[in-house]
């Protein structure tokens, strides 16, 4: 039962608020660290291109515009792909959604990106091809559960994480 406002309850309440405050501070610090690392890499690449490689500033501005449009398009394609995957996992319109994934893969391959971000694009396309192949196998196998599990595992690979970009894993 509730005992009202006694010393023990107030101490527990203050301890809970303090722990919640520390958790928010920690998450805020992690977010700042991630943004700082991204900015350091971005500025580092730009400074390298401008001062070492002697590329004009207009090249860097165009590169930023191109890559920004690339990441927006990639995000849009990912949303459509995840919707198609969701329907495939629910056994809805499997042939249509598998064909939609093929079409999305072709759109993703054709996305314009800068030379500096081609390693991101190449990893993205490799993962997208695996996903499309798994969806096609699932469609061909008549919605076999074995391929559904493989499809679920591969759908996680289409999201490119900062950790995967900075520290790529080698598959043997």
């Amino acid at each position: 039962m509730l005992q009202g406002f006694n010393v023990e309850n107030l101490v527990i309440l203050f301890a809970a608020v303090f722990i919640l405050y520390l958790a928010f501070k920690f998450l805020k610090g992690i977010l700042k660290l991630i943004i700082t690392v991204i900015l350091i890499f971005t500025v580092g690449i730009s400074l390298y291109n401008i001062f070492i490689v002697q590329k004009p500033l207009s090249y860097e501005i165009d590169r930023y515009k191109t890559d920004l449009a690339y990441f927006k398009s990639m995000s849009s394609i990912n949303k459509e792909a995840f919707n198609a995957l969701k329907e495939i996992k629910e056994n809805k319109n499997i042939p249509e959604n598998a064909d939609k994934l093929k079409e999305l893969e072709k759109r993703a391959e054709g996305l314009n990106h800068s030379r500096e971000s081609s390693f991101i694009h190449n990893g993205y396309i490799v993962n997208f091809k695996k996903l499309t192949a798994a969806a096609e196998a699932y469609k061909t196998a008549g919605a076999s559960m074995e391929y559904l599990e493989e499809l679920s595992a591969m759908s996680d690979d289409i999201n490119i994480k900062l950790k995967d970009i900075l520290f790529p894993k080698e598959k043997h």
Side-chain angles (χ1 to χ4, degrees):
M1 284 193 204
L2 292 175
Q3 298 175 358
F5 288 105
N6 60 26
V7 176
E8 286 181 17
N9 288 345
L10 288 175
V11 169
I12 291 172
L13 179 65
F14 285 128
V17 169
F18 182 70
I19 290 172
L20 188 62
Y21 171 76
L22 289 177
F24 280 126
K25 290 288 279 183
F26 177 74
L27 292 175
K28 187 176 172 184
I30 293 294
L31 185 60
K32 282 183 181 179
L33 176 68
I34 290 171
I35 290 171
T36 302
V37 168
I38 290 171
L39 286 174
I40 288 171
F41 279 118
T42 303
V43 171
I45 289 172
S46 295
L47 292 175
Y48 174 80
N49 283 340
I50 292 171
F51 293 112
I52 306 296
V53 182
Q54 300 291 322
K55 291 184 179 179
L57 185 59
S58 61
Y59 172 82
E60 283 301 304
I61 293 170
D62 289 340
R63 182 177 72 85
Y64 283 117
K65 287 179 184 176
T66 302
D67 285 345
L68 183 62
Y70 171 75
F71 286 114
K72 282 183 179 179
S73 299
M74 184 172 35
S75 174
S76 172
I77 289 172
N78 279 350
K79 286 178 187 174
E80 291 182 52
F82 280 118
N83 289 336
L85 281 172
K86 181 180 173 187
E87 287 189 11
I88 288 173
K89 290 177 185 177
E90 295 171 352
N91 285 327
K92 296 179 184 174
N93 302 324
I94 294 170
E96 293 87 7
N97 284 314
D99 293 339
K100 184 175 183 177
L101 284 174
K102 280 186 196 176
E103 183 262 322
L104 290 171
E105 177 189 335
K106 288 180 185 174
R107 274 183 35 204
E109 284 180 334
L111 290 177
N112 189 21
H113 60 283
S114 69
R115 192 167 39 104
E116 286 81 4
S117 64
S118 62
F119 70 96
I120 295 171
H121 179 72
N122 293 340
Y124 178 64
I125 295 302
V126 165
N127 289 331
F128 215 118
K129 285 181 184 284
K130 289 178 187 176
L131 181 69
T132 304
E136 192 64 32
Y138 184 66
K139 176 179 93 171
T140 304
S144 169
M145 288 305 279
E146 170 189 337
Y147 288 105
L148 181 60
E149 291 170 6
E150 184 179 342
L151 190 62
S152 294
M154 287 185 184
S155 67
D156 294 336
D157 288 343
I158 197 166
N159 274 341
I160 296 179
K161 298 174 187 76
L162 179 64
K163 184 181 92 176
D164 296 336
I165 294 169
L166 299 177
F167 309 107
K169 296 180 230 170
E170 290 187 31
K171 294 182 181 178
H172 299 286

